[in-house]
Amino acid sequence: MKMPRRLAALISLLAVTLVSLRAASVTVRVDQPGAAINPAMWGVFFEDINFGADGGLYAELVKNRGFEFPEPLMGWARLSPSKAKGELTVRTDAPFTPGNPHYVRLQSEGTAPFGLSNEGFRGMGVRANEAYNFSARVRRIAGAPKLTVRLYGSDGTVLASAELRDFSDTWEKYPTTLHPKATDAKAWLAVLVEGAGTLDLDFVSLFPEHTWKNRPAGLRADMVQPLADMHPGFLRFPGGCIVEGTDLARRYEWKKTIGPVEERPLLVNRWNYEFLHRPAPDYYQSFGLGFYEYFQLCEDIGAQPLPILNCGMACQFNSGELCPLDQLDPYIQDALDLIEFANGPATSPWGAKRAALGHPEPFHLQLLGVGNEQWGQDYIDRYTKFAAVLKAKHPEISLVAAAGPDPGDARFKLAWEKLRPLHADLVDEHSYARPEWFLDGAHRYDDYDRNGPKVFMGEYAAHSTKGSGSRKPNNLESALAEAAFMTGLERNADVVRMASYAPLFAHVDAWQWTPDLLWTDNLHTLRTPNYHVQSLFARNRGDRVLPVALGGLATGEEKRVFASSTMEEASSQVIIKLVNATANDSTCTVDLAGAREVKAGTLTVLRADNPEAVNTFAAPNDVAPRVTDFAAPGPKFEVTLPANSFSVIRVGVGR
C-alpha cells in the first residue's frame, strides 16, 4: 500500500526535527590539561605555483622586465604606428650587468613615437590616484631622444603618462612615477622613443608605491595582509616540488636568490610545463622574491621560517635524477651556509651577506627541511648524510624529513620504518584527498607512537568532487572536512607538532592547481572558507590540550561531528572547536568539568545553508566567520551547532 504523500512528508519533517533536537554532549576536562601545543602549530605553505610569486606576491607589474626569457620579447609587443619608422633589436653586447645580458635597442627616425609595450601578468592591476614607480636602465647610443612612459587602460584610455630625457652614454637607472586616473585590473605599459635617435633599454620595472610595509619594490600588501591576520606559527618556503626541479639543473638554489635583483638569474618555473591541461609558457622565476625576502616576510608576520632545501634529488615524478652520494657535500654545504646566513653573526661570511642586505640581526632559524616530497632508500641515504652533518654542527636546528606524497602507501611506510631509528625530528606527511578521507582521518593520530618522531602535516587539502573539470572548488564541504581533521591534529598535539594547508595562492587567470587557500586577481585577494578554517585554528590555538569526550551522537553522526579543546593560559580561557558536518542543526550540551565558574566570552561560527557554498570576488563574504558575544550560565551549558558549521567557543574559567 502506497503511503499518502502528505503523511510521508510529515514523517520526514518529524524525523528531521527529532534529529535536530537530539542533544549531543561534549565534556571538556578543564582540570586535566595535557600536552603543550607548539606555538608554531598552525602555519602556511608557500610555493611559486599558480603565479604565486612573479605575478602574485612579488608586486612587480612588468613581465620579463630584463628580456631574459628564452624568447626575449615574450610579454612584450612592438609598438610601431604606420608613420613610425624605427628598428627594435635584442642585443647582448656590453650589457649593464653580466647576470642580465639581454637588452633591447630602440632606433627611431623620429617620424612618430616608436617603442614597445608590456602586457604584465595577465594584465596590470592599477588603482586610481595611487603612485606607481617606474624605472628602467637606459643608455644613449645616438641623438637626443626622450622616452615617454604611458599606462593604458584595458579600453585603450591613457591612464597616466611621464617623460624621461637627458640620457647618459653609459647605463644608468632612470625613475619616474605614474598616477593612474582610473582603476583598471587589465592595464598595460608602453615605453616609446620620441625624436630621432637610438636608446638601449633594460630592466624595465613598474611597482606600486604602496607595498607591504611600503617597502620599495616589495610585496603586494593585499596578499600579505591575510597571512598577517592569520597569525601563522611558521612559513614554509619555497615549496613544494619547485625545490626539486624536474632535473637537478633546474632545482631551486637559494644562493642565487639573494643580492641585487638585477643579478639574480632567471629560471624556468616547473609549473610552466608540468600540466598539459594548464600550460603556462610565460611562467618563469625572477627570484625578486628570494630567500632574504622570505625571511623578512616571516619576521613581519611573526612566523618561524621553515626553508626546504634540495637534498640531491630531482622530482621523482619527473626525471628522478640523483646526485651521487659521494658528491653530496655541496648540497650539505648549502644547508650549513643557509644556517649561517640566517643565524650567524654579521662578522661571519654569510652573516655579513645578510647584514649587507639590511638585516644585521639574525633571523632565528630553528627549522630546516631536507628534501620536499622524496621517497625510497635513495632519499633515506641522502637524508642520513645531511642529518649526520647538520646535527653534529647545529643540534639546535630541527630537521624535517620527507615521507613521500601519499599518507599510507608502501613509500610512506618505508619512510617511517627508516626514519624512526634515525630519530628524525619531524616527518613531513602529505595528503590531497576527498573530504571523506579527512572526516575519517580525524582519529588518525590517536594511536601514533608517542615516543617516535613527531609529525609535520606539511601539505594537505580536501579535494571536493563538486567542481567542474580540473578546477576543484574551495567550498564549505572541503573546509569542514579539513576542520574535522584539524580537531584530530589538535587533540594529538603531542605527536603532530605542525601543520599547513597547501597550496597557498592562486591567480584566477593563471592557476595550475586547485583548490588553493587564497585566490587573487590583479587587484584583490579572496579569502576562501578553507582560509577561514585555518585562520580560526591559528588565532585560537591555546597552549595546552584539554581532554574532550563526545557522546549522545546518533548513528552516522559520530563520523560527522567533531570536537577539540585547548586552554589559553595567559587569559585562562577555554577554547572549544566544534564541527557539525551534518545537514541538521544539533543541540549540544557542553560540560566544562573541573571549572568553578565561567566568564563571558565569544562564539564564532562559520556556516552556510549549502555545503557547496563558495566565496567569490563578487560575494567575498558569503562564507565568513560571524562573531557574537557568548555568556554561559555556568560550567554546563547548551549551544546550538548549525548544520554545515564550524564553531569556536572562547570562555574564561575559574578553577
Side-chain angles (χ1 to χ4, degrees):
M1 179 177 178
K2 188 174 181 180
M3 183 180 297
R5 183 178 300 174
R6 183 173 296 178
L7 178 59
L10 182 61
I11 292 173
S12 176
L13 177 62
L14 180 61
V16 170
T17 303
L18 288 174
V19 169
S20 65
L21 292 177
R22 182 181 290 112
S25 65
V26 178
T27 302
V28 179
R29 297 299 317 191
V30 176
D31 55 349
Q32 296 178 12
I37 300 171
N38 180 9
M41 176 73 173
W42 309 111
V44 288
F45 164 102
F46 179 84
E47 179 169 10
D48 189 2
I49 187 174
N50 305 313
F51 281 62
D54 289 287
L57 190 59
Y58 184 51
E60 173 66 80
L61 297 177
V62 177
K63 181 168 64 184
N64 191 17
R65 60 187 174 185
F67 307 100
E68 296 301 326
F69 284 18
E71 296 179 26
L73 292 179
M74 180 175 275
W76 297 91
R78 176 185 170 114
L79 290 179
S80 182
S82 58
K83 294 182 180 180
K85 294 183 179 180
E87 184 178 356
L88 184 157
T89 56
V90 177
R91 304 171 67 97
T92 58
D93 55 303
F96 83 90
T97 175
N100 186 35
H102 294 85
Y103 62 92
V104 165
R105 177 162 290 179
L106 297 171
Q107 183 177 351
S108 175
E109 295 185 12
T111 54
F114 169 77
L116 70 173
S117 67
N118 190 274
E119 65 187 7
F121 298 90
R122 309 302 189 269
M124 297 179 177
V126 297
R127 291 184 171 86
N129 303 316
E130 292 195 6
Y132 291 82
N133 296 325
F134 172 91
S135 65
R137 303 283 179 162
V138 185
R139 177 174 60 188
R140 187 184 70 86
I141 300 300
K146 66 179 181 179
L147 273 182
T148 297
V149 181
R150 287 181 189 155
L151 266 175
Y152 285 90
S154 53
D155 62 356
T157 301
V158 176
L159 301 180
S161 184
E163 293 182 354
L164 295 169
R165 60 181 73 233
D166 300 325
F167 299 109
S168 169
D169 295 342
T170 59
W171 287 107
E172 300 288 347
K173 183 177 180 179
Y174 292 87
T176 189
T177 302
L178 302 173
H179 295 86
K181 65 181 182 181
T183 297
D184 200 313
K186 300 287 185 179
W188 52 278
L189 178 73
V191 183
L192 302 164
V193 177
E194 297 197 47
T198 303
L199 295 175
D200 289 340
L201 187 70
D202 201 358
F203 218 76
V204 182
S205 177
L206 184 67
F207 270 92
E209 189 170 280
H210 174 52
T211 58
W212 176 252
K213 291 189 175 292
N214 292 320
R215 290 195 180 100
L219 306 182
R220 261 183 63 171
D222 68 294
M223 291 180 69
V224 178
Q225 192 62 57
L227 307 186
D229 291 345
M230 181 178 166
H231 302 302
F234 67 90
L235 171 64
R236 171 179 167 173
F237 60 88
C241 294
I242 210 164
V243 170
E244 305 157 21
T246 51
D247 52 63
L248 290 177
R250 298 181 183 183
R251 73 187 187 276
Y252 196 104
E253 298 181 70
W254 75 267
K255 291 176 181 176
K256 294 181 178 180
T257 76
I258 63 172
V261 292
E262 301 91 342
E263 297 176 9
R264 301 179 188 182
L266 189 83
L267 182 66
V268 65
N269 191 303
R270 63 159 297 129
W271 303 111
N272 174 305
Y273 49 81
E274 184 68 18
F275 294 133
L276 292 176
H277 65 287
R278 296 293 299 179
D282 57 342
Y283 201 0
Y284 289 82
Q285 299 172 83
S286 72
F287 297 116
L289 173 57
F291 259 50
Y292 177 75
E293 290 79 16
Y294 283 125
F295 277 110
Q296 193 174 48
L297 175 59
C298 290
E299 189 172 73
D300 288 347
I301 63 177
Q304 289 189 28
L306 173 50
I308 310 293
L309 296 185
N310 189 289
C311 64
M313 301 180 73
C315 182
Q316 289 166 277
F317 289 110
N318 300 126
S319 69
E321 182 185 358
L322 299 174
C323 171
L325 284 171
D326 60 1
Q327 299 175 31
L328 201 60
D329 286 352
Y331 291 80
I332 297 174
Q333 189 61 49
D334 277 350
L336 294 171
D337 292 342
L338 177 62
I339 295 170
E340 183 176 288
F341 175 77
N343 294 351
T347 54
S348 66
W350 285 98
K353 293 180 184 294
R354 181 195 68 240
L357 293 171
H359 202 285
E361 297 302 316
F363 282 117
H364 307 293
L365 177 68
Q366 301 176 41
L367 300 159
L368 183 64
V370 179
N372 168 53
E373 199 174 56
Q374 274 71 45
W375 63 80
Q377 191 60 47
D378 288 330
Y379 172 68
I380 298 299
D381 292 342
R382 283 154 183 79
Y383 173 81
T384 300
K385 290 182 72 71
F386 265 83
V389 175
L390 295 179
K391 282 300 181 184
K393 295 189 175 183
H394 290 285
E396 76 281 6
I397 302 294
S398 294
L399 300 182
V400 176
D406 186 275
D409 65 5
R411 296 169 294 185
F412 177 87
K413 293 174 183 176
L414 175 67
W416 270 99
E417 175 188 328
K418 299 290 185 178
L419 291 169
R420 187 171 286 109
L422 290 173
H423 305 291
D425 296 315
L426 291 156
V427 176
D428 184 10
E429 299 189 358
H430 294 179
S431 181
Y432 299 105
R434 292 185 178 186
E436 290 75 18
W437 186 93
F438 291 91
L439 294 170
D440 293 341
H443 296 281
R444 172 182 175 88
Y445 298 103
D446 291 0
D447 299 322
Y448 262 51
D449 181 359
R450 273 32 212 177
N451 299 312
K454 303 306 180 184
V455 173
F456 170 34
M457 179 46 82
E459 296 184 35
Y460 66 92
H463 285 196
S464 174
T465 59
K466 304 297 173 58
S468 58
S470 61
R471 181 163 180 172
K472 301 177 180 69
N474 284 99
N475 59 19
L476 181 61
E477 176 200 35
S478 61
L480 293 179
E482 290 151 8
F485 183 68
M486 293 170 76
T487 63
L489 304 185
E490 186 167 82
R491 285 186 295 99
N492 291 282
D494 58 326
V495 169
V496 183
R497 302 298 289 161
M498 302 166 65
S500 53
Y501 181 104
L504 182 58
F505 290 116
H507 192 291
V508 292
D509 296 325
W511 58 269
Q512 292 82 50
W513 175 287
T514 62
D516 304 280
L517 201 63
L518 294 157
W519 284 83
T520 70
D521 60 18
N522 288 339
L523 289 172
H524 312 94
T525 299
L526 177 70
R527 306 181 189 208
T528 65
N530 314 72
Y531 166 84
H532 290 305
V533 164
Q534 295 291 323
S535 183
L536 286 171
F537 269 88
R539 291 186 292 108
N540 295 281
R541 172 178 50 83
D543 303 299
R544 289 196 173 274
V545 177
L546 295 178
V548 171
L550 264 171
L553 300 175
T555 301
E557 280 188 327
E558 71 275 4
K559 294 185 177 181
R560 309 288 292 185
V561 177
F562 306 87
S564 64
S565 184
T566 62
M567 170 67 76
E568 186 176 82
E569 294 177 331
S571 64
S572 294
Q573 283 192 320
V574 170
I575 306 168
I576 309 167
K577 301 180 181 74
L578 298 162
V579 179
N580 179 10
T582 75
N584 303 299
D585 293 354
S586 178
T587 300
C588 179
T589 300
V590 178
D591 184 2
L592 301 182
R596 288 185 297 101
E597 60 175 337
V598 178
K599 302 174 184 177
T602 59
L603 170 64
T604 304
V605 179
L606 180 73
R607 65 165 301 276
D609 292 334
N610 185 354
E612 295 181 34
V614 298
N615 290 332
T616 65
F617 285 98
N621 296 312
D622 274 3
V623 187
R626 303 290 188 265
V627 183
T628 58
D629 292 335
F630 184 82
K636 196 169 185 176
F637 55 89
E638 287 189 347
V639 63
T640 298
L641 305 182
N644 308 312
S645 69
F646 172 43
S647 302
V648 180
I649 301 171
R650 291 186 69 118
V651 290
V653 296
R655 290 178 284 176

